[in-house]
Amino acid sequence: EAGVTQFPSHSVIEKGQTVTLRCDPISGHDNLYWYRRVMGKEIKFLLHFVKESKQDESGMPNNRFLAERTGGTYSTLKVQPAELEDSGVYFCASSSGQGGYEQYFGPGTRLTVT
Amino acid sequence: AQSVTQLGSHVSVSEGALVLLRCNYSSSVPPYLFWYVQYPNQGLQLLLKYTTGATLVKGINGFEAEFKKSETSFHLTKPSAHMSDAAEYFCAVSDRRSSYKLIFGSGTRLLVRP
């Protein structure tokens, strides 16, 4: 069974540019989460999808971030326009249920905004 | 609000020595608790979890953790460290009131000396 995959693994962009991160969850997992780790800080929640619906986007920093999950499969996270403070590692995780179910994490996308 | 505190951003042990990584949590409801490990250039991998039942939880690679409600702790231990245990370890609590998103501690980097 394939795990959670994320693309790209690294992205370096200039301030003001747009970047789109992609996450492919484990097949059949309805729950998809995005997290972010800014350098030196803890991993923080961004948002949660159940199938194609956003259940919780309380962690999204501002309206420069837009997440989608069309068809309830893969998800994209777009940052437009990128700012310096957006640099960090973006993780995607999926799970088959909520509560005590394990969230399976992807390897992350390292975003550097210069 | 729920929170997780990991004491010690870096812990160094000798190979063969006891590993003890500390985690304290704050939660107004019975917590679901997790330990994840991140090896270099990889995603987060679940070591173990506590949901209900037995308070001593055994995980992969010889790790275990004990849920102590009275101390609000969930410390991770391993009797004998191996060089391959060198990684960053994250304690997390699942937010049962909001999408079961994970709330992470700041992480502890474990160094194993030969």
Side-chain angles (χ1 to χ4, degrees), chain B residues 3-63:
Chain B
S3 64
V4 174
T5 301
Q6 290 183 242
L7 279 178
S9 59
H10 292 80
V11 170
S12 180
V13 301
S14 297
E15 191 173 20
L18 171 72
V19 175
L20 171 60
L21 304 183
R22 299 179 185 274
C23 172
N24 288 87
Y25 68 91
S26 171
S27 178
S28 57
V29 297
Y32 292 158
L33 295 161
F34 302 80
W35 274 100
Y36 280 85
V37 60
Q38 185 181 23
Y39 299 103
N41 301 314
Q42 295 186 28
L44 280 71
Q45 179 183 4
L46 181 69
L47 275 177
L48 49 79
K49 66 178 181 181
Y50 169 80
T51 54
T52 59
T55 56
L56 181 62
V57 181
K58 295 186 184 298
I60 62 171
N61 302 337
F63 285 93

Side-chain angles (χ1 to χ4, degrees), chain A residues 31-72:
Chain A
N31 293 272
L32 187 150
Y33 299 81
W34 282 97
Y35 296 88
R36 176 175 75 170
R37 189 181 196 191
V38 172
M39 181 72 73
K41 300 287 185 74
E42 65 270 23
I43 300 168
K44 286 200 169 181
F45 167 81
L46 295 177
L47 85 157
H48 170 219
F49 285 97
V50 176
K51 297 185 180 178
E52 67 275 9
S53 299
K54 293 176 186 175
Q55 290 295 294
D56 182 353
E57 50 185 330
S58 61
M60 295 287 263
N62 50 62
N63 58 12
R64 295 185 293 103
F65 289 74
L66 175 65
E68 295 180 329
R69 192 182 182 194
T70 306

Side-chain angles (χ1 to χ4, degrees), chain B residues 61-94:
Chain B
N61 302 337
F63 285 93
E64 62 181 37
E66 186 170 12
F67 169 62
K68 291 187 176 180
K69 182 179 179 180
S70 61
E71 298 178 8
T72 61
S73 69
F74 192 55
H75 302 329
L76 182 71
T77 61
K78 181 174 180 178
S80 176
H82 294 165
M83 297 297 292
S84 59
D85 294 327
E88 191 163 19
Y89 293 79
F90 297 92
C91 182
V93 63
S94 177

Side-chain angles (χ1 to χ4, degrees), chain A residues 4-98:
Chain A
V4 177
T5 57
Q6 294 187 244
F7 183 82
S9 57
H10 293 84
S11 181
V12 181
I13 61 172
E14 293 183 353
K15 177 182 173 181
Q17 289 186 322
T18 297
V19 63
T20 299
L21 314 180
R22 172 170 171 145
C23 168
D24 286 78
I26 293 172
S27 178
H29 281 192
D30 288 338
N31 293 272
L32 187 150
Y33 299 81
W34 282 97
Y35 296 88
R36 176 175 75 170
R37 189 181 196 191
V38 172
M39 181 72 73
K41 300 287 185 74
E42 65 270 23
I43 300 168
K44 286 200 169 181
F45 167 81
L46 295 177
L47 85 157
H48 170 219
F49 285 97
V50 176
K51 297 185 180 178
E52 67 275 9
S53 299
K54 293 176 186 175
Q55 290 295 294
D56 182 353
E57 50 185 330
S58 61
M60 295 287 263
N62 50 62
N63 58 12
R64 295 185 293 103
F65 289 74
L66 175 65
E68 295 180 329
R69 192 182 182 194
T70 306
T73 55
Y74 71 91
S75 175
T76 58
L77 180 64
K78 180 189 288 187
V79 185
Q80 179 183 29
E83 298 288 345
L84 298 178
E85 64 265 25
D86 300 333
S87 295
V89 180
Y90 290 75
F91 292 103
C92 175
S94 71
S95 69
S96 58
Q98 299 183 29

